[in-house]
Amino acid sequence: IRLDTSSPGLLFRSRDINNRSCFIHSLSSRFQARSPRSCQNAVLKVFNLSLEIVTSAIRNTAMSRFAILSALLSASSLATSAEPDVATSLVGATAGPENEIPASLTCAEEQIVVGGCDPNDVVSCAANCNLFKDDSGEPGYLLDKCCKHVGVNANLLAFEKAELWVPRIEEFSKCTGASIRLQYNRGEDYMATDIIDDVGVDDGGGAGIFDAYIVQAPWLPPVYKGLKSLSEFISMDDKYINYYDINQASRAAVSFDGSVRALPLDADYIALGWRQDVFEKYASQYEEMYGEPLKVPDTIEELVDVSEKLNGKFDYNNDGIADWGFCLTPQTNYFQAFLAPILQTHLHACDIVDGKKVCDGLHTGQNIFFDVDTFEPLIHNEGYRHAVELYWRFIRASNCQAQTAAGEKCDRKTAFKTGRCAGVISMPGTMTNLLKEGGKYAPPPEVRMDTEVLSEGGYWGRRKIFPGSRMVIDWNKPGQPLVECNDEICPLSRNSINYAPFFAEGGESYALNGQQSKPAATAAMWDLFTWFATLPVGEVPLAGTYRKSQLEPEAIDALAEKWDNRVMADDLNAVLQEYFKDKDEGGNPVQDLFIIGFPDYNEALDTELHKKLLLADVSDGGLFNKSDPSKSLDPVKDKDVFDRLYNGFIKDLEKKYSTIHNKYGGALSQLSLWRGALGVTPVKSKDDICADLLASDVASFDRLDCINQVSLEALCQVLESDVEDYKPGTCSDNNNNAITAIIVLCSIVGAGLLVGVSWFAYRRYVTYQHIRRAHEQLMEATLNEAIRALHQLDYPLHLIQGHEFSEAGKLMRHEVLRNTHKLTVLDSLSDVDAFVAAGKHVVFFSHQWTSFTLPDPSCIQYDTMVLALKDLVKRNGWDESLKDVFVWVDFSSIPQANPSTQNLAIRSLAAYASSATYFIIVAPDTPHVDLDDNCDFDTYQKRMWCRAEQCCHLLRNGMEGMYLKTGANNPLTPVKNDHFVDSLHVFDGELTCCRLEHKGLASCDRQSLVIPLLGLYGELIRAAADGRKGGNADSLQAVEAFLSEIDSRQEEVFPRTFKRVMWRKNKRVIEEVVLFGDLIERMRAKAESGTLEYNEDMGAATASTNSSDFIRHGASDFLRHGVVHGGMSNSQKNGVHIETAVGSL
């Protein structure tokens, strides 16, 4: 007996039942089946078929255990007559309403016990599984997992011990029956290597001993392909996971190639700790001494200044010795915390929304490690030197002046507990132990002054966001100079201070082995991790505060109670309210270097910065004077020496970085990974990166070894002048030179060399023929791709049901609709056809964006769309509930967050537009928020993409279903008969890329439209030819009108070439680039010859039909050539039942 469901999990087998005969007899008598012996025989036959009952079906098909056992007995009657090798499918068996089971028939009375765990013992299950219930009254996550994983063994590898592991694993095992074996490795320093050994690199080759791991984000890049993608798991259990409640920095740290590879349980970041007793005790003396108040620093410049002025002036621990400024442990992550607010001003492009600046547009590419275009290290700028100087001054005023001079490790943990530090910089877990009363590294009361200076309710150990910077890099100026922060350069600044919290290492996360792990073990570990996601933060091993919900007032109250410290809880809340901001809230988190080789890059910086420069003795070429720290080299007083040593540091660091690049596949490979880790758009392949560099930065093209990545000959078509500049003669035709050479050689050398020269000429001719054949193959491949693009979606069609769209109140972002399950997804064009055949209406809204980053900030266009939709419904007499109307609009139907999937959807734009049953142009009078301009129908019609959408629809569907809505008070009107004339002239439209003169781009958007428009033209020609043969003259009237306009103005409608303005090597270049060339003539010949077919070689089963099959959605006067993907006949359309990928219609 088989339950047809996914995720099989064993409930029981025959061998688990101690007394099978009594068990079967009990079933038969309870449910009044056959006689005990006949029932026994029947069920034993079922057991002999290796019966496995699937526990997940209890959730997935709403089957109670009572229903399963009932189905089992029903099937046993079949088993008596069926052949022994026949399996019976049990699909859809359900219990009564709400899974209600009659009291006299509960399975618990049968006492079916599996491995000592009884899933029907309600009292025990509640006691063992309904743990850590919150005040909502909702059952705990594990309540329906009672005995689910009996007999399952799973292995978990962790690098850090925590007391909470033992009780949590014991509780999970007692509830589910799983046996979880926790093993610690040799420590954090070995975990990256241990995971590689177990998972393997590049999706294979690991030992596969462990089923799950506790990981940190820097360890993931080499192994993420071998880890289980958790995206589907999260989607299934997001009620409990609540993934977008996790802060954006932690989410970004575990995402690779658009999928989630680990589940965050913590967040690691740099913050500032300060002693309130010190600041209050010496406030007046400090002001007298320096003429300014002593305040907690807001900027890194102030932090260094205050630390220097406190250093050696005041005694904090009452031992009679003047103490230090702020303390630290010199590590790369603390230096990078200084660097972050100088180098990163905003991750995303900004826009004005409702009078406020919102930075949630395209990724700017800003970071603190490597340039996202060239992968040059971001160390050759004034900002980097500014950070090094401040950091060095900070170290000189810290605990390092004593500990390093004494030959000890400069360590914030040992220093802070002495009471000699005015403050400290640290990661969150250690920070709590530094500041909490009785903490592992906290100074005891006898070395503090809080009792004498702090008022009631005050507390000595305070926490604050890490300071920002008033000096920042201006990324838009040549040389990236260091400038003062202002609203234009630092759009997220407050009081001219740029804040950029550094999330070092990303924090701990859970990951699943995606290759060797057994499905049962994977399911058990996922249930464990999901359960952890529902628990209070203090009950999860290794977890810290990492969710927004953990900052709710009740959560902070609970934390204050746990710590018995209201001040500390409120301080943490203030820090994380800032750090956990999403991009639309003004967040500016700085990401660590999540690429392969992270430990090596970190070690290189640590060695060159700390071991060789800042903490090395002056006698060894460093800045530190260990015999007298006060005489250490100063950036200002000893400028010449400092400059020389600093320049040497930069040079040596760059060399080490280059060596590490080569160790892990080269700088180009690392650049590709880094762009992916940051989510930089547009997404570029390695070839795209190299093509752009050839056009803009030849030195970087060479440094990245692009010559071994791309073929220069292949780039001749789009970058001919650049290729010729780089390697003269690559693109030129040498045939004439060869002929001249032959004549000269013949005249000089004579007849004796004629054979050799002839052979050379022959080889040149053969090469020419090869090139010509290759060109012909390329042209044929282009034609085939144009045909394929009409019949296949590169990304599914996403639609919003009409009532959902009209109730949203504004254009909703794609991801919001996806996560709230408000999108209808059609995976193929045949699904679209079936969808429409079932009476659904697809409405395509075409409009112009009225800002650079948002489609409709004023909502004027949205309001017009809603009115247009209602007008269309009334016009056609449809159901006014809008249940049969589905909307496509770019912002909602195309992914916005993931550049890879967004690119796929854009490639399918022509198919989307041509597949719609109705096309509505929405062009109300609307101001453009970024330009001093007004948007209306005239500006809409000037945009090339707007024309392209219209062209794709009308070439496939005609103009019958095309409408125009220009304002709330203007009616929905059909487009005029001659409207298609402008629409066909797609390439006369305006493009943003052309306005920007293609800076940083290798191609023009015009080139991306060649394939879809070429395919549509071919279908138009074929439909006309087939229609003429069939005598269908009336239906061909619109087709002939289109063809007449195209034929009379072919060079305008389908230009052979176009003028493109580019910037290369800081020079403005105008070049003529091939667009359609002779492809139109080739496509016409192919269509008229009857060879325009879509077959398996193009990507799917043959779907060639004649024009009579291509009937437009609901139209009678135009041939919708190509709409019936897969050749669905009219009789099929009129059938009662249609099977599609989206269900039965």
Side-chain angles (χ1 to χ4, degrees):
I1 299 177
R2 175 177 59 85
L3 275 169
D4 192 8
T5 181
S6 61
S7 304
L10 184 62
L11 175 63
F12 64 85
R13 295 177 186 266
S14 59
R15 65 171 181 266
D16 295 322
I17 300 166
N18 296 326
N19 194 328
R20 230 171 9 180
S21 297
C22 291
F23 165 70
I24 296 167
H25 178 81
S26 174
L27 288 179
S28 61
S29 60
R30 173 69 67 184
F31 299 109
Q32 299 179 356
R34 300 172 181 269
S35 67
R37 180 162 299 280
S38 62
C39 179
Q40 175 181 346
N41 292 336
V43 178
L44 282 175
K45 285 189 177 183
V46 177
F47 281 133
N48 290 333
L49 291 173
S50 300
L51 170 66
E52 291 193 0
I53 299 294
V54 186
T55 52
S56 60
I58 296 169
R59 296 196 308 272
N60 297 340
T61 65
M63 294 183 70
S64 68
R65 290 178 173 81
F66 169 75
I68 290 179
L69 293 174
S70 299
L72 172 62
L73 286 176
S74 298
S76 70
S77 65
L78 297 175
T80 60
S81 58
E83 292 297 325
D85 60 345
V86 175
T88 304
S89 177
L90 296 179
V91 182
T94 61
E98 303 281 333
N99 284 346
E100 181 179 348
I101 304 172
S104 61
L105 298 179
T106 59
C107 291
E109 294 183 11
E110 305 306 329
Q111 298 193 7
I112 303 170
V113 179
V114 186
C117 190
D118 184 354
N120 301 297
D121 185 341
V122 177
V123 175
S124 296
C125 284
N128 295 336
C129 300
N130 204 19
L131 306 172
F132 300 103
K133 284 185 64 176
D134 56 28
D135 296 333
S136 67
E138 292 290 324
Y141 173 75
L142 291 182
L143 188 58
D144 68 341
K145 309 298 186 296
C146 190
C147 303
K148 175 184 176 182
H149 300 298
V150 169
V152 174
N153 295 297
N155 296 316
L156 172 64
L157 181 64
F159 65 89
E160 184 177 348
K161 293 184 178 181
E163 294 179 356
L164 288 174
W165 276 120
V166 174
R168 292 298 87 84
I169 289 178
E170 286 181 350
E171 289 159 355
F172 181 79
S173 297
K174 191 173 182 180
C175 169
T176 65
S179 176
I180 308 295
R181 178 173 175 264
L182 173 67
Q183 181 170 323
Y184 296 106
N185 76 332
R186 297 165 290 173
E188 181 175 350
D189 293 341
Y190 300 93
M191 192 65 178
T193 301
D194 290 346
I195 293 177
I196 290 174
D197 291 343
D198 198 63
V199 177
V201 179
D202 293 332
D203 200 17
I209 297 172
F210 297 95
D211 302 293
Y213 315 90
I214 305 299
V215 299
Q216 290 185 344
W219 307 334
L220 296 179
V223 299
Y224 78 90
K225 291 181 180 179
L227 297 176
K228 196 80 172 176
S229 172
L230 303 183
S231 298
E232 185 177 347
F233 287 74
I234 292 170
S235 176
M236 180 176 62
D237 285 325
D238 200 46
K239 173 183 176 182
Y240 304 99
I241 298 293
N242 196 9
Y243 188 67
Y244 285 93
D245 181 44
I246 299 171
N247 74 85
Q248 68 156 334
S250 295
R251 297 197 311 265
V254 296
S255 296
F256 297 85
D257 290 344
S259 67
V260 180
R261 298 292 173 153
L263 185 63
L265 65 100
D266 188 23
D268 278 344
Y269 48 83
I270 311 298
L272 181 71
W274 59 284
R275 294 263 306 273
Q276 186 167 2
D277 59 328
V278 171
F279 275 68
E280 292 200 11
K281 169 76 172 179
Y282 296 109
S284 59
Q285 294 181 49
Y286 182 97
E287 188 165 7
E288 289 177 9
M289 190 177 297
Y290 298 110
E292 60 187 40
L294 174 60
K295 70 182 192 71
V296 185
D298 291 318
T299 70
I300 52 176
E301 292 86 2
E302 292 174 358
L303 174 61
V304 172
D305 184 59
V306 169
S307 193
E308 288 177 331
K309 288 176 178 176
L310 288 174
N311 179 49
K313 299 297 190 298
F314 308 104
D315 178 14
Y316 317 143
N317 60 358
N318 301 312
D319 65 354
I321 301 174
D323 294 315
W324 311 310
F326 282 69
C327 291
L328 83 161
T329 303
Q331 296 174 175
T332 55
N333 54 348
Y334 297 131
F335 164 67
Q336 287 154 349
F338 277 78
L339 188 63
I342 300 173
L343 262 59
Q344 183 171 301
T345 57
H346 56 297
L347 273 176
H348 300 273
C350 303
D351 194 9
I352 303 297
V353 179
D354 296 332
K356 297 171 61 178
K357 185 166 288 187
V358 177
C359 297
D360 63 351
L362 296 178
H363 202 292
T364 62
Q366 292 184 15
N367 68 92
I368 65 173
F369 295 102
F370 293 99
D371 186 281
V372 297
D373 293 318
T374 67
F375 209 57
E376 284 199 59
L378 299 176
I379 58 180
H380 302 289
N381 58 73
E382 296 174 1
Y384 200 87
R385 170 158 180 152
H386 183 58
V388 171
E389 289 186 7
L390 289 175
Y391 183 62
W392 167 230
R393 288 170 55 194
F394 185 80
I395 286 177
R396 291 180 61 194
S398 74
N399 50 307
C400 294
Q401 63 186 298
Q403 291 180 316
T404 302
E408 303 171 3
K409 177 185 177 182
C410 182
D411 185 1
R412 69 197 184 285
K413 298 175 182 177
T414 57
F416 199 73
K417 65 172 56 177
T418 66
R420 299 195 63 191
C421 305
V424 66
I425 57 175
S426 188
M427 302 273 270
T430 302
M431 182 71 82
T432 298
N433 276 312
L434 289 163
L435 301 180
K436 184 181 177 184
E437 190 66 63
K440 187 175 181 181
Y441 313 117
E446 57 268 22
V447 296
R448 304 196 310 257
M449 302 169 290
D450 39 305
T451 56
E452 61 179 287
V453 297
L454 298 183
S455 59
E456 185 176 355
Y459 186 66
W460 63 270
R462 305 299 302 276
R463 188 178 334 218
K464 181 184 169 118
I465 63 173
F466 194 80
S469 178
R470 293 190 185 277
M471 303 299 295
V472 297
I473 285 293
D474 187 344
W475 291 83
N476 296 319
K477 286 187 177 179
Q480 300 168 343
L482 187 68
V483 298
E484 290 188 4
C485 179
N486 58 48
D487 289 343
E488 181 179 352
I489 299 171
C490 313
L492 302 176
S493 64
R494 298 192 302 276
N495 299 321
S496 298
I497 301 173
N498 181 59
Y499 293 95
F502 180 53
F503 282 75
E505 301 178 0
E508 284 74 25
S509 302
Y510 311 107
L512 298 174
N513 190 323
Q515 300 186 111
Q516 298 92 346
S517 179
K518 303 175 292 296
T522 297
M525 293 309 305
W526 176 252
D527 276 344
L528 176 67
F529 296 158
T530 305
W531 178 50
F532 281 177
T534 68
L535 301 185
V537 65
E539 303 296 343
V540 181
L542 300 178
T545 304
Y546 67 106
R547 291 176 173 271
K548 290 185 175 182
S549 60
Q550 292 166 348
L551 305 180
E552 296 292 333
E554 57 272 18
I556 297 301
D557 290 343
L559 187 61
E561 183 178 353
K562 179 185 175 184
W563 282 348
D564 190 23
N565 194 313
R566 182 80 237 179
V567 175
M568 279 191 66
D570 288 342
D571 282 350
L572 179 63
N573 181 40
V575 169
L576 296 186
Q577 289 287 357
E578 173 69 23
Y579 282 19
F580 287 1
K581 286 180 179 177
D582 278 328
K583 60 183 180 181
D584 57 347
E585 299 170 324
N588 188 32
V590 178
Q591 182 171 305
D592 214 333
L593 185 64
F594 299 142
I595 58 174
I596 297 176
F598 168 84
D600 293 348
Y601 289 107
N602 234 20
E603 176 61 28
L605 178 59
D606 184 48
T607 298
E608 298 303 326
L609 179 63
H610 293 125
K611 298 175 183 177
K612 292 187 177 181
L613 182 66
L614 303 185
L615 300 181
D617 191 75
V618 289
S619 61
D620 296 323
L623 301 176
F624 200 96
N625 190 321
K626 293 184 179 180
S627 59
D628 186 354
S630 65
K631 295 182 180 179
S632 296
L633 297 178
D634 184 88
V636 177
K637 296 178 182 177
D638 307 295
K639 186 178 184 305
D640 291 342
V641 179
F642 185 91
D643 287 350
R644 177 174 56 80
L645 295 178
Y646 176 82
N647 292 335
F649 152 68
I650 293 297
K651 183 178 180 181
D652 292 343
L653 180 61
E654 186 168 29
K655 284 182 180 178
K656 284 205 167 182
Y657 280 169
S658 180
T659 300
I660 298 167
H661 300 338
N662 295 332
K663 178 180 177 181
Y664 293 106
L668 180 60
S669 177
Q670 294 291 73
L671 171 57
S672 182
L673 286 174
W674 186 223
R675 289 177 61 90
L678 289 173
V680 176
T681 53
V683 175
K684 294 182 180 181
S685 67
K686 294 178 185 177
D687 286 358
D688 292 337
I689 293 171
C690 287
D692 289 346
L693 289 176
L694 183 62
S696 60
D697 188 346
V698 173
S700 294
F701 180 90
D702 289 335
R703 187 172 51 80
L704 295 181
D705 197 25
C706 281
I707 194 65
N708 291 318
Q709 174 66 33
V710 296
S711 165
L712 292 178
E713 290 78 4
L715 294 177
C716 284
Q717 186 172 2
V718 293
L719 297 172
E720 180 175 356
S721 62
D722 297 298
V723 174
E724 285 295 315
D725 287 345
Y726 184 78
K727 188 177 180 181
T730 303
C731 302
S732 61
D733 185 354
N734 292 321
N735 285 333
N736 292 332
N737 293 337
I739 293 171
T740 302
I742 291 172
I743 296 173
V744 172
L745 286 172
C746 287
S747 63
I748 296 175
V749 179
L753 297 177
L754 182 61
V755 173
V757 173
S758 299
W759 174 254
F760 175 76
Y762 170 73
R763 293 309 304 167
R764 295 292 298 177
Y765 173 76
V766 170
T767 300
Y768 167 76
Q769 291 297 324
H770 282 314
I771 293 174
R772 189 173 64 83
R773 282 195 296 270
H775 175 73
E776 291 298 319
Q777 291 171 357
L778 177 61
M779 293 299 99
E780 186 66 19
T782 303
L783 296 176
N784 289 338
E785 174 61 16
I787 299 168
R788 183 205 66 80
L790 288 177
H791 296 79
Q792 184 172 316
L793 291 176
D794 288 321
Y795 188 78
L797 177 65
H798 288 70
L799 305 171
I800 317 109
Q801 198 163 23
H803 73 90
E804 297 276 10
F805 177 79
S806 62
E807 294 169 2
K810 64 178 181 179
L811 291 181
M812 300 296 292
R813 180 184 284 267
H814 173 84
E815 287 73 18
V816 174
L817 294 170
R818 179 197 64 196
N819 295 338
T820 54
H821 311 292
K822 293 181 180 179
L823 289 173
T824 296
V825 182
L826 302 176
D827 292 296
S828 66
L829 291 173
S830 59
D831 282 354
V832 178
D833 296 332
F835 191 68
V836 173
K840 310 301 180 185
H841 312 287
V842 179
V843 179
F844 187 106
F845 280 122
S846 178
H847 70 115
Q848 178 181 359
W849 280 41
T850 55
S851 88
F852 291 150
T853 56
L854 288 173
D856 183 31
S858 65
C859 288
I860 294 175
Q861 295 193 68
Y862 167 78
D863 293 338
T864 307
M865 290 177 188
V866 172
L867 291 172
L869 196 63
K870 293 179 179 178
D871 289 349
L872 185 66
V873 169
K874 291 179 181 178
R875 174 186 289 267
N876 290 291
W878 298 338
D879 188 333
E880 294 189 5
S881 69
L882 305 180
K883 66 181 181 65
D884 293 327
V885 182
F886 293 80
V887 169
W888 188 99
V889 63
D890 49 11
F891 191 60
S892 301
S893 300
I894 289 180
Q896 304 296 312
N898 187 313
S900 300
T901 54
Q902 184 183 69
N903 189 49
L904 290 174
I906 291 174
R907 283 169 49 181
S908 303
L909 191 59
Y912 297 156
S914 62
S915 297
T917 52
Y918 293 88
F919 187 101
I920 300 180
I921 299 169
V922 178
D925 195 9
T926 312
H928 194 291
V929 299
D930 294 313
L931 301 173
D932 187 17
D933 198 3
N934 216 46
C935 298
D936 53 20
F937 180 65
D938 289 337
T939 61
Y940 166 89
Q941 196 64 0
K942 291 177 182 178
R943 300 296 298 165
M944 193 199 79
W945 280 109
C946 296
R947 292 187 179 195
E949 291 173 352
Q950 297 173 63
C951 188
C952 289
H953 181 82
L954 64 85
L955 284 179
R956 179 67 69 82
N957 301 277
M959 299 193 332
E960 181 182 339
M962 295 184 69
Y963 294 88
L964 172 65
K965 182 80 170 178
T966 57
N969 298 322
N970 299 328
L972 180 71
T973 58
V975 298
K976 296 179 180 179
N977 290 335
D978 61 352
H979 177 80
F980 74 91
V981 175
D982 282 340
S983 300
L984 283 177
H985 291 250
V986 173
F987 297 96
D988 288 341
E990 299 173 353
L991 281 170
T992 301
C993 64
C994 294
R995 181 171 59 83
L996 299 177
E997 298 187 335
H998 307 95
K999 292 178 180 178
L1001 300 174
S1003 62
C1004 176
D1005 281 354
R1006 281 180 170 78
Q1007 293 162 278
S1008 65
L1009 283 171
V1010 169
I1011 292 294
L1013 293 182
L1014 182 64
L1016 287 169
Y1017 174 74
E1019 288 289 349
L1020 195 69
I1021 291 289
R1022 186 179 72 165
D1026 290 349
R1028 294 187 195 103
K1029 292 176 185 177
N1032 194 2
D1034 293 338
S1035 299
L1036 290 172
Q1037 181 178 357
V1039 176
E1040 297 286 7
F1042 290 165
L1043 289 175
S1044 175
E1045 176 66 19
I1046 292 172
D1047 290 343
S1048 64
R1049 301 177 183 274
Q1050 180 179 319
E1051 296 297 325
E1052 298 173 22
V1053 177
F1054 299 123
R1056 295 179 182 274
T1057 62
F1058 73 102
K1059 299 287 186 182
R1060 184 177 66 185
V1061 179
M1062 302 284 285
W1063 283 83
R1064 298 192 179 94
K1065 306 177 185 72
N1066 295 321
K1067 292 182 179 180
R1068 188 173 185 268
V1069 178
I1070 301 177
E1071 57 192 0
E1072 188 167 7
V1073 179
V1074 174
L1075 193 61
F1076 282 91
D1078 63 350
L1079 285 171
I1080 293 299
E1081 289 79 6
R1082 291 172 180 267
M1083 181 60 82
R1084 183 187 296 118
K1086 194 176 184 71
E1088 291 177 345
S1089 67
T1091 59
L1092 192 65
E1093 293 187 353
Y1094 176 55
N1095 55 50
E1096 293 179 352
D1097 292 336
M1098 298 179 192
T1102 301
S1104 177
T1105 59
N1106 58 41
S1107 65
S1108 62
D1109 289 328
F1110 295 107
I1111 307 300
R1112 183 194 174 276
H1113 301 314
S1116 58
D1117 67 345
F1118 192 82
L1119 299 181
R1120 187 178 184 272
H1121 28 279
V1123 67
V1124 186
H1125 308 278
M1128 183 169 64
S1129 67
N1130 290 331
S1131 62
Q1132 287 174 302
K1133 292 179 184 179
N1134 296 328
V1136 176
H1137 188 76
I1138 302 172
E1139 291 288 346
T1140 78
V1142 293
S1144 299
L1145 303 174

